[in-house]
Structures are given as structure tokens and as C-alpha cells.
């Protein structure tokens, strides 16, 4: 059976049309994951953003399978009737034997279709046990194959170890299913890195059974490893994780399938600078309140940096970021820089509520605003009446004693004896919290002498308290996306990051970011872009450098960014890389994985030829390049902040597109990572 039907995706701007194969006839794709309509981590984002492109390609032959979680079902899906006779018979057969199975359509997105036109199947299991979920998934796939009148070719794509048992049982029962297993991060790798071991330099020497047993995850590790070995095709999200899987799971992945985004959701066309200005104004309002009494810095010369993600202090690079901020503070002070940096740490922590000082700051700011408006109204009325009778106003009479008294009271209310708080919430384990402990060690207490200020905002994910970022927050009433647009730089110097959605989201919103060559995103950008820093993506070397050298490199990036003028920061090309991260481009890697699995499972009906090796395409250095942070002061003269130079965005984008070459077909996995230096 030929695999030749064009994929229904539009061409990418700057990239030629891709005439790859689409979904073959009489093939049904089941994608199985614990996070189908059940937000736990990053896999939820993968499935959510990829669903539209996959549904466009497969139509009603695309089915998502996940656990029935009551809270998620109420908000994300609606129960529907099965669209196909075979599915109706399958559900009826399983329900008749006491298993609660339902079909649901997504209601998560409306116009933009976050999940696309798809169907999902939820299995209601009270024990909330991944093993039970695996047995039910294998039962479902076997029942579907038995209930189909015309035997279809079934592709089962399983994500992570939580769905792995369904794959293992499908192979053990010899079900007619072509299986794919995607590991987004190895279980043992995450545990090892959390233990502060020299992970990548010792990757080849770990006794995996011993390490998994000592961490009491041996049963889960065995399940993950069995799924990796039983699958017809093993994929992972980056070359870094591929080398990790080869050593820890003892199988070399067949393909690397990078994670993408639904770029349409974030697309702002040429409005991203306007959106940045609007969101930045909201963040500035928070800063005015939070730092009241110590607001002795110019907000127009203040940069907002942030780090976000799971609270994994070392894995996410919060340790090296704090150390770099301390060094940046020193450099800005000794060089007499007028730039101030406010660094936000957006991570879930153990808290019980907003602290009083943070709430008081916003109350004081609002009181000042109300006072200013009241005086402005009285001033405006007197000015209007004076001009109405044809007289120039007497400025000495425009404000009376009552006005001055009101303003003096407002100024007195802003007096503060203590430093602005570092944390916006009351921490339950303040004395042992790693971020707060490090801040005490490096001495970043938000004093007036500090050019780097720190704010630790809890996301409210652990203790169910109010989050720092939400539309209902009393501190900063914006959602995460709007907050990111209001910042100047995202900093994600992760040590363990199989992919990294946070820098990817910054990229599609036009916000420069810092990543590392130990993250999947950083490696992907180094592979595809000749000079990432020219596009506002700065990659710290944590693979071949000692921690001290990596910290020095990160400090140089941050200090160089602070030296750029506003005009130079605006002229970044970050958003132009959005198409490179769109599922319309990256979804083809999943298509190749499905083709390979079908050819391995049904060799009499399908064939698969590995793509020819091709020279990797790389975005070249742009025709007109803003200086990289490390060279900004040497490569261009200093421009005033008020300079309004004409900048033709269309002309600059056309120059970049003219230099983009056709991307090759997704190649097979190259042989491992290069050896590390001693």
C-alpha cells in the first residue's frame, strides 16, 4: 500500500512547501498518554498544541486515549456519540463488561481550535493507577481491532512510562498494532540530576538497576525500559535525551521528534512590539507598588528578566541564574550603569498566602494614584475656568492648602523602613527554601544600592494558594502569556531539560531568551541557526564547561544585554524563528515515525525508505544584525534612548527569508553526543 497523500499544511514563510506523505487509507492512529485532557506537565502542551495539525492530516482516524479525570472532564471536554460504527461497538462491548468508557470532543478551544477536531476516550478508574490504565488501553485496542468489520491498520503512539504498559501488553498479546513509544524525559535521568550528580560525564557508567533501586523507582523504571524495547519505533524529543535514553534505557532511539507549538495562538504579526509595551506597563505598575519607598530607579531604564518552570532548583538552573545575578549586580554598580534589572522567579513553592508587605505595596500605589487623580481633577477644573474667562492661570493659586496636605499625606504613606520583600508569599519552609537561602548568601536584598532586584512569585500550584500570575491576582493581574510579553529576557540556564517549552514560548512571542546546550531547545537552535545570538537566543555552554565558566558566560550575556540600547533590543529577530517551532513544520517528524512503525509492523503492506542524508539547513546570520550582547559595545556606537531611527520590518524580514535554504527531510539519529572534555 503506497504512503502518498499530501499533508494538508500551509507553507511556512521563508521555507519551501513540503510535499511529504499524509495519512494512508485504512489506518487509524491512537495516541495514548496520561495527560490527554489532564494537565500534569509538558506532555499536555505537546498533545494540546499538536492536535490541530494531526487532526488536519488524519481526520476522524485520529483518536486520543487518556484517563477519565472528573475535574478535567468538566472543564475541557463534552461527552459525544462515537462517530464510527466500530468505535460504538467497542465502547458498548467494554461498558457491557462493567468498564465505564465514554467518547468526548474537546471544548478547550473555540476559534483557534487548541485541540483541533479530534476525539478522546476516557477510562474511569478509581485507583488512579497507571498499571490499570495500561490494561484498559490494551483491552480497548484489542476490542477495537476485533469489532472492526474491515480490519484496519492500527498505529498506537504511547507517551511516557505512564502509558507504557498498554504498549507492552499490546505486543505481548500480539495485537495488530504498530507501536511507537516517545520518552520526553527518562525517569531515572530526572531522579539522578535531582541528586546533584555529574550526570552527563558519567552517563555511560551508571549501574541503572542499582540507581533505580536505591531511589525506589525500580518498578517504574522497568516499565519504562520494557516499553522502550517492545516498541516498533522509539523516539525522543532531542539529541540530548536520545543519548540519555541509549545509556539508561539501553536502546538507541530511531528518530528524534522535537516538540513544537501552535504558533497561531501566539501570533501577533507586526504588533508584538505594541503588545510588549502594553504588557510591560502592567509589570511596571506592579514594580511601582512592590518597591514603594525604594523606587529610586528609572523604570524607563529598567529591564525585566524572568525564569519560570517546575521548582527544581538545580535542574532548571535557578542556582546558576542567582549567582550570575549577583555578579551582574556588581558589574552594574562598579561601572556606574543607570540600568536596573528586576529578576522574577516564577515557580511553584510551598506557601500559605500572599504576605502583608506585598499586598500593602499595591494598596499604597493605588492610594497614590487616587490622590493624584483627585488633585488633577481640581487643577484641571480651575485651569478650565481661568481660560474660559480669558485669563492666564495664576499657578500660585491653582493648588490650595488642602491639596498640599493631601499630597503630603500620600508621600508620608510611602515611607518605608524595611527593604521591599523578595518573596510575594508567606513561605512555609522559609529557612530551608533553596532560592531564599541562596539570596541570603549572595546578599540581594533589594536595597537601594542594588542595581539588581529580585522578586520570587509563587504560581500557587502546590498549596492551592493564590498565584502570583493570574487575571484575579491582587498583585499582578495578568496571565503568564501577557507577563512574558511584558518582560525583556527569559533566562533558562537548565542543567536537565529534555526540551524546554519556556524558551520556545518566548521565541514565538518575540522575547529574547537564554538557554543551554543541555536543553533540547538549545541544541535544536544550535543545529538550525548559524548564529543564534543574532536572533535573540543566547546559548550557555553547560556541556563542555565547568560550572564556574558557565556562570561567567551567563553573566557576560546578561551584562551585554543590559548594555544594549532600546533601539538595539527592538531590532531583534526572535519572532521570525516562530515558523521553525510550528507543528506545521515539526509535525512531519511524527509522520516519519508513523511510517517507520507501519513498515516494521506490517512489512507486507507498507514500505519505508530512510530519508537521504542531506546537508543540514541553517538560518544564516541576518543581512542586518543587531550586535550580540557580548560585543554590543564594540560593534556599534552608542545611540540615545530617544533616537527614532526608521526601521522597515518587512524589508528586514525579506532579507532574512532570502537567505533561508530548503530544510532536509528529518534525518536518522546521529551517533550520540560528542565526548565530554575533562
Amino acid at each position: 500500500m503506497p504512503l502518498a497523500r499530501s499533508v494538508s499544511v500551509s507553507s511556512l514563510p521563508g521555507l519551501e512547501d513540503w510535499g511529504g506523505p499524509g495519512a494512508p487509507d485504512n489506518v487509524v492512529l491512537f495516541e495514548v498518554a496520561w495527560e490527554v485532557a489532564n494537565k500534569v506537565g509538558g506532555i499536555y502542551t505537546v498533545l494540546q498544541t499538536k492536535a490541530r495539525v494531526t487532526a488536519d492530516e488524519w481526520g476522524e482516524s485520529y483518536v486520543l486515549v487518556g484517563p477519565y479525570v472528573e475535574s478535567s472532564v468538566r472543564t475541557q471536554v463534552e461527552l459525544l456519540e462515537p462517530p464510527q460504527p466500530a468505535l460504538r461497538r467497542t465502547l458498548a462491548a467494554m461498558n457491557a463488561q462493567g468498564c465505564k468508557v465514554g467518547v468526548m470532543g474537546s471544548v478547550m478551544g473555540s476559534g483557534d481550535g487548541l485541540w483541533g477536531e479530534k476525539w478522546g476516550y476516557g477510562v474511569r478508574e478509581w485507583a488512579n493507577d497507571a498499571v490499570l490504565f495500561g490494561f484498559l488501553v490494551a483491552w480497548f485496542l484489542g476490542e477495537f481491532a476485533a469489532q472492526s468489520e474491515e480490519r484496519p491498520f492500527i498505529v498506537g503512539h504511547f507517551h511516557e512510562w505512564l502509558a507504557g504498559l498498554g504498549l507492552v501488553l499490546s505486543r505481548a498479546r500480539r495485537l495488530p498494532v504498530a507501536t511507537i513509544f516517545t520518552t520526553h524525559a527518562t525517569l531515572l535521568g530526572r531522579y539522578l540530576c535531582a541528586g546533584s550528580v555529574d550526570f552527563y560525564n558519567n552517563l555511560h557508567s551508571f549501574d541503572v538497576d542499582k540507581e533505580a533501586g536505591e531511589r525506589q523507582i525500580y518498578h517504574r523504571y522497568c516499565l519504562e525500559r520494557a516499553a522502550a524495547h517492545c516498541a516498533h519505533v522509539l523516539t525522543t524529543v532531542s539529541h540530548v535525551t536520545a543519548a540519555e535514553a541509549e545509556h539508561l534505557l539501553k536502546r538507541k532511539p530511531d528518530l528524534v521528534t522535537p516538540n513544537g507549538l501552535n504558533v497561531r495562538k501566539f501570533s501577533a504579526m507586526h504588533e508584538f512590539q505594541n503588545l510588549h509595551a502594553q504588557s510591560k506597563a502592567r509589570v511596571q505598575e506592579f514594580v511601582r507598588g512592590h518597591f514603594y519607598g525604594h523606587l529610586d530607579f528609572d523604570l524607563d531604564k529598567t529591564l525585566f528578566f524572568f525564569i519560570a518552570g517546575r521548582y527544581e532548583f538545580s535542574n532548571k538552573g535557578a542556582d546558576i541564574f542567582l549567582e550570575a545575578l549577583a555578579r551582574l549586580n556588581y558589574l552594574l554598580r562598579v561601572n556606574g550603569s543607570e540600568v536596573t534589572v528586576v529578576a522574577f522567579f516564577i515557580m511553584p513553592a510551598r506557601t500559605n498566602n500572599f504576605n502583608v508587605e506585598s499586598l500593602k505595596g499595591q494598596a499604597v500605589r493605588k492610594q497614590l494614584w487616587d490622590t493624584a487623580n483627585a488633585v488633577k481633577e481640581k487643577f484641571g477644573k480651575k485651569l478650565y475656568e481661568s481660560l474660559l474667562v480669558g485669563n492666564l492661570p495664576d499657578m500660585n493659586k491653582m493648588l490650595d492648602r488642602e491639596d498640599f496636605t493631601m499630597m503630603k499625606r500620600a508621600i508620608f504613606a510611602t515611607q518605608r523602613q524595611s527593604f521591599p520583600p523578595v518573596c510575594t508569599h508567606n513561605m512555609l519552609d522559609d529557612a530551608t527554601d533553596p532560592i531564599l537561602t541562596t539570596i541570603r548568601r549572595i546578599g540581594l536584598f533589594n536595597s537601594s544600592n542594588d542595581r539588581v532586584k529580585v522578586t520570587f512569585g509563587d504560581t500557587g500550584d502546590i498549596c492551592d494558594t493564590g498565584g502570583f500570575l493570574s487575571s484575579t491576582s491582587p498583585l499582578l493581574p495578568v496571565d503568564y502569556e501577557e507577563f512574558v510579553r511584558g518582560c525583556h529576557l527569559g533566562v533558562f540556564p537548565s542543567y536537565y531539560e529534555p526540551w524546554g517549552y519556556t524558551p520556545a514560548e518566548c521565541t514565538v512571542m518575540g522575547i529574547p531568551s537564554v538557554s543551554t546546550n543541555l536543553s533540547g531547545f538549545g541544541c535544536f537552535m544550535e543545529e538550525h541557526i548559524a548564529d543564534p545570538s543574532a536572533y535573540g537566543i543566547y546559548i550557555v555552554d553547560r556541556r563542555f564547561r565547568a560550572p564556574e565558566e558557565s556562570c561567567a558566560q551567563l553573566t557576560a550575556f546578561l551584562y551585554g544585554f543590559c548594555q544594549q540600547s532600546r533601539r538595539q533590543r527592538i531590532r531583534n529577530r526572535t519572532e521570525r524563528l516562530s515558523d521553525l517551532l510550528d507543528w506545521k513544520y515539526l509535525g512531519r517528524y511524527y509522520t516519519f515515525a508513523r511510517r517507520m512503525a507501519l513498515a516494521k509492523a506490517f512489512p507486507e503492506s507498507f514500505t519505508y525508505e530512510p530519508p537521504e542524508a542531506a546537508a543540514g539547513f541553517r538560518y544564516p546570520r541576518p543581512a542586518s544584525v543587531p550586535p550580540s550582547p557580548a560585543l554590543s559595545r564594540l560593534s556599534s556606537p552608542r545611540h540615545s534612548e530617544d533616537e527614532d531611527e526608521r526601521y522597515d520590518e518587512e524589508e528586514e524580514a525579506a532579507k532574512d527569508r532570502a537567505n533561508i535554504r530548503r530544510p532536509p527531510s528529518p534525518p536518522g539519529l546521529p551517533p550520540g553526543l560528542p565526548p565530554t572534555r575533562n
Side-chain angles (χ1 to χ4, degrees):
M1 177 182 296
L3 289 173
R5 192 169 73 190
S6 61
V7 144
S8 57
V9 297
S10 59
S11 62
L12 303 176
L15 301 178
E16 298 181 22
D17 289 346
W18 179 70
D25 296 327
N26 198 31
V27 178
V28 180
L29 170 62
F30 291 96
E31 198 156 7
V32 184
W34 188 260
E35 298 194 36
V36 171
N38 177 35
K39 184 172 178 58
V40 177
I43 302 174
Y44 175 89
T45 305
V46 174
L47 299 172
Q48 181 195 49
T49 55
K50 182 173 64 69
R52 170 175 284 275
V53 171
T54 310
D56 287 343
E57 180 183 351
W58 288 79
E60 290 187 351
S61 297
Y62 175 44
V63 181
L64 280 161
V65 182
Y68 187 101
V69 179
E70 186 68 32
S71 59
S72 298
V73 169
R74 291 176 179 175
T75 57
Q76 300 186 30
V77 297
E78 60 178 352
L79 298 179
L80 301 173
E81 286 297 320
Q84 300 174 6
L87 296 179
R88 287 195 292 269
R89 291 192 295 269
T90 301
L91 300 187
M94 294 185 68
N95 286 327
Q97 299 187 52
C99 181
K100 179 67 179 295
V101 184
V103 60
M104 54 195 71
S106 171
V107 294
M108 290 187 62
S110 51
D112 56 356
L114 295 179
W115 282 84
E117 296 297 327
K118 71 173 184 63
W119 304 98
Y121 292 83
V123 181
R124 187 176 187 180
E125 40 81 22
W126 299 105
N128 196 25
D129 186 3
V131 174
L132 179 57
F133 176 60
F135 271 94
L136 293 173
V137 168
W139 178 13
F140 173 79
L141 294 177
E143 194 69 39
F144 177 81
Q147 294 291 341
S148 300
E149 296 177 353
E150 180 182 352
R151 285 295 181 89
F153 297 97
I154 301 174
V155 178
H157 192 154
F158 299 80
H159 293 267
E160 282 294 312
W161 70 272
L162 285 165
L165 186 59
L167 185 153
V168 175
L169 291 174
S170 296
R171 294 302 306 276
R173 297 173 182 177
R174 301 184 181 275
L175 299 180
V177 179
T179 56
I180 305 170
F181 183 68
T182 297
T183 175
H184 296 259
T186 66
L187 190 66
L188 184 56
R190 192 178 295 281
Y191 272 81
L192 287 170
C193 286
S196 301
V197 301
D198 190 2
F199 181 67
Y200 293 99
N201 287 323
N202 296 288
L203 195 55
H204 61 283
S205 60
F206 286 118
D207 184 341
V208 292
D209 294 307
K210 175 177 176 292
E211 298 289 351
E214 289 180 349
R215 288 160 177 79
Q216 300 182 7
I217 58 168
Y218 189 69
H219 56 298
R220 288 188 279 173
Y221 166 74
C222 289
L223 182 57
E224 181 182 38
R225 183 169 171 178
H229 282 266
C230 290
H232 291 103
V233 174
L234 173 64
T235 73
T236 188
V237 297
S238 66
H239 294 305
V240 173
T241 314
E244 177 186 337
E246 182 177 359
H247 288 92
L248 300 186
L249 300 182
K250 307 303 180 183
R251 178 178 174 181
K252 183 177 181 179
D254 300 287
L255 284 175
V256 170
T257 52
N259 289 335
L261 282 166
N262 179 6
V263 172
R264 179 183 174 185
K265 172 187 175 184
F266 301 98
S267 177
M269 301 301 289
H270 304 295
E271 292 296 314
F272 74 97
Q273 286 298 340
N274 293 334
L275 292 175
H276 166 67
Q278 295 169 11
S279 300
K280 183 178 70 173
R282 305 286 296 275
V283 179
Q284 286 177 335
E285 283 301 297
F286 164 78
V287 171
R288 289 187 177 99
H290 192 73
F291 292 92
Y292 82 92
H294 293 270
L295 200 64
D296 52 357
F297 50 92
D298 187 353
L299 283 177
D300 289 333
K301 296 180 181 179
T302 299
L303 302 180
F304 301 135
F305 298 171
F306 80 98
I307 182 174
R310 290 185 304 274
Y311 197 171
E312 298 178 7
F313 183 66
S314 298
N315 284 358
K316 293 299 182 183
D319 52 351
I320 189 175
F321 184 32
L322 280 168
E323 184 64 36
L325 286 176
R327 300 182 184 188
L328 175 64
N329 184 50
Y330 172 79
L331 290 174
L332 293 176
R333 290 173 60 180
V334 298
N335 288 288
S337 175
E338 297 181 351
V339 174
T340 300
V341 172
V342 178
F344 293 90
F345 287 74
I346 312 299
M347 293 179 170
R350 294 185 57 81
T351 62
N352 58 20
N353 213 327
F354 298 103
N355 63 44
V356 174
E357 276 297 310
S358 296
L359 294 173
K360 180 182 176 182
Q362 301 308 313
V364 169
R365 177 193 62 79
K366 187 177 184 304
Q367 181 185 12
L368 283 174
W369 178 256
D370 293 340
T371 300
N373 278 334
V375 174
K376 182 179 69 174
E377 284 189 16
K378 294 180 66 175
F379 184 95
K381 184 178 180 180
K382 292 180 180 180
L383 176 63
Y384 169 71
E385 291 176 349
S386 178
L387 296 176
L388 194 61
V389 297
N391 296 328
L392 289 176
D394 184 354
M395 301 306 298
N396 293 324
K397 297 181 179 179
M398 296 301 291
L399 297 177
D400 53 29
R401 185 181 300 274
E402 181 183 351
D403 296 328
F404 281 102
T405 301
M406 186 186 305
M407 290 188 290
K408 288 180 180 179
R409 287 175 178 173
I411 293 174
F412 182 77
T414 63
Q415 302 304 309
R416 192 182 215 169
Q417 302 302 320
S418 60
F419 292 147
V422 168
C423 189
T424 61
H425 289 63
N426 296 321
M427 300 290 294
L428 295 180
D429 48 0
D430 183 285
T432 59
D433 182 81
I435 288 181
L436 297 182
T437 301
T438 305
I439 288 175
R440 295 186 187 102
R441 178 179 61 81
I442 61 180
L444 287 181
F445 298 124
N446 294 337
S447 70
S448 299
N449 295 326
D450 289 331
R451 296 268 56 84
V452 173
K453 319 289 185 180
V454 179
T455 299
F456 183 11
D458 171 39
T459 61
D461 294 345
I462 291 182
C463 296
D464 231 4
T465 61
F468 174 63
L469 294 179
S470 81
S471 58
T472 59
S473 171
L475 301 183
L476 184 53
V478 298
D479 58 19
Y480 176 75
E481 179 182 335
E482 187 176 356
F483 171 78
V484 171
R485 287 193 186 276
C487 291
H488 297 89
L489 182 69
V491 185
F492 314 103
S494 304
Y495 182 76
Y496 185 81
E497 190 70 79
W499 175 247
Y501 261 120
T502 42
E505 289 170 342
C506 287
T507 300
V508 299
M509 287 188 277
I511 305 301
S513 64
V514 177
S515 187
T516 74
N517 58 358
L518 287 180
S519 72
F521 174 83
C523 291
F524 182 81
M525 287 301 174
E526 281 189 323
E527 178 185 357
H528 287 77
I529 306 174
D531 184 6
S533 63
Y535 290 89
I537 296 175
Y538 312 113
I539 300 176
V540 176
D541 185 359
R542 297 200 67 179
R543 172 66 174 165
F544 300 111
R545 296 193 182 191
E548 169 64 27
E549 295 174 313
S550 299
C551 185
Q553 185 184 19
L554 176 58
T555 305
F557 282 151
L558 300 182
Y559 184 67
F561 192 84
C562 292
Q563 296 301 103
Q564 290 186 1
S565 68
R566 180 177 179 274
R567 182 187 63 85
Q568 291 170 328
R569 292 196 303 271
I570 288 177
R571 291 180 58 172
N572 71 74
R573 289 160 176 76
T574 308
E575 195 187 34
R576 294 186 196 152
L577 301 179
S578 296
D579 295 321
L580 195 62
L581 299 171
D582 199 329
W583 279 119
K584 291 182 179 180
Y585 167 56
L586 297 180
R588 67 190 69 178
Y589 290 89
Y590 278 80
T591 299
F592 272 82
R594 296 167 196 141
R595 291 175 61 202
M596 182 185 295
L598 284 169
K600 288 185 176 183
F602 311 109
E604 68 285 353
S605 302
F606 298 94
T607 59
Y608 171 76
E609 295 182 2
E612 296 181 1
F617 91 101
R618 288 163 66 87
Y619 277 67
R621 190 175 177 85
S624 176
V625 185
S628 63
L631 304 175
S632 61
R633 289 184 296 167
L634 303 177
S635 58
S636 78
R638 181 73 176 176
H639 294 269
S640 68
E641 296 294 325
D642 299 327
E643 183 177 0
D644 186 15
E645 181 179 320
R646 173 178 169 77
Y647 178 65
D648 193 329
E649 184 76 16
E650 285 292 341
E651 180 181 349
E652 294 295 325
K655 291 179 182 178
D656 288 346
R657 285 196 294 268
N659 288 326
I660 298 172
R661 290 178 286 172
R662 178 184 176 88
S665 299
L669 184 68
L673 290 176
T676 57
R677 300 176 189 170
N678 294 325

